Amino acid sequence: MGAPEIKYFTEKEYLEIERSALDKHEFYKGEIFAMSGASIPHNIIAMNCYIDLGTKLKGKNCNPFGSDLRIHIPKNTLYTYPDISIICGDIETTDDKFDTVTNPSVIIEILSESTKNYDKGGKFTLYREIESLKEYILIDSEAVMVEKFIKNVDNSWQLTEYKKLEDFFTIDTVAIKMELTTIYAGVKLIVD
């Protein structure tokens, strides 16, 4: 008895299934992957960031979106749901359903034990094929740690780490300051 046969789907089939599904799924190269739920610290961090970003971006030409907004990368077929994305200027959608976007400027992922390696590795590799993406920010949900990657003019990515609650960083694309005390407010964490 061999390995179970993998069923492959077209992007059109995936979107038809996904638009009527109760749970969220990623799509990559014909395969559909169920997305898992998030922990309480993950949800608190996402809420803190989303509220802070929403307040600071109000009235500007950039808007934050939560994890219900699907992002598509045509160059590699990935459909996914980042924890937070910021889109500047006109929002580019894939079709007339207006539920799938292709032009995020900033993506923020909140790391958990089960997604940490994927978010730092394979997923970041796929995200780098988004031409509009200028910054990728990873926030650990289990310890005080923020990793900010910014795209340089030569398309290389530069990493800066923030490991203390009193640290802050700037999301350069939208010129706003994010304080780790705000991001981690209400979360019990391991502190170095």
Side-chain angles (χ1 to χ4, degrees):
M1 188 167 163
E5 188 176 317
I6 298 171
K7 177 163 176 34
Y8 290 95
F9 298 85
T10 66
E11 290 183 36
K12 183 180 177 186
E13 288 171 329
Y14 161 73
L15 287 171
E16 286 174 6
I17 294 166
E18 191 67 2
R19 286 175 172 149
S20 63
L22 298 177
D23 299 319
K24 294 186 288 192
H25 302 83
E26 285 190 335
F27 173 91
Y28 181 62
K29 292 190 175 181
E31 292 186 68
I32 296 175
F33 305 92
M35 297 182 71
S36 62
S39 68
I40 291 171
H42 182 289
N43 278 290
I44 292 171
I45 291 166
M47 178 189 64
N48 290 344
C49 289
Y50 189 72
I51 290 170
D52 197 29
L53 287 167
T55 301
K56 291 174 178 174
L57 291 173
K58 189 171 186 167
K60 297 189 178 183
N61 194 30
C62 298
N63 293 296
F65 293 88
S67 63
D68 283 335
L69 183 66
R70 187 171 41 251
I71 301 289
H72 175 52
I73 309 169
K75 284 186 178 181
N76 57 41
T77 77
L78 181 68
Y79 286 84
T80 190
Y81 297 84
D83 290 313
I84 297 173
S85 54
I86 300 172
I87 300 172
C88 296
D90 292 335
I91 297 171
E92 297 172 13
T93 58
T94 57
D95 57 29
D96 62 358
K97 302 290 188 218
F98 305 107
D99 61 359
T100 308
V101 174
T102 59
N103 66 322
S105 300
V106 178
I107 290 178
I108 300 171
E109 292 285 11
I110 298 156
L111 304 177
S112 63
E113 192 58 41
S114 62
T115 64
K116 175 180 303 194
N117 292 335
Y118 176 51
D119 288 340
K120 288 183 171 194
K123 197 171 200 181
F124 185 31
T125 299
L126 297 172
Y127 279 158
R128 289 195 301 262
E129 293 196 50
I130 302 171
E131 288 184 28
S132 61
L133 188 65
K134 296 180 175 89
E135 291 181 70
Y136 183 51
I137 299 164
L138 299 169
I139 302 171
D140 198 314
S141 68
E142 299 173 326
V144 175
M145 168 62 104
V146 174
E147 296 171 277
K148 180 183 123 171
F149 294 88
I150 188 161
K151 184 163 50 172
N152 296 314
V153 291
D154 65 356
N155 288 327
S156 64
W157 289 81
Q158 179 179 333
L159 166 65
T160 308
E161 296 179 335
Y162 305 89
K163 300 179 182 180
K164 297 179 184 151
L165 274 176
E166 57 270 17
D167 285 345
F168 68 88
F169 62 93
T170 301
I171 302 178
D172 297 343
T173 305
V174 291
I176 61 171
K177 182 170 119 177
M178 300 289 289
E179 298 176 356
L180 271 65
T181 53
T182 300
I183 289 169
Y184 287 108
V187 179
K188 293 179 182 169
L189 294 165
I190 302 163
V191 182
D192 288 342

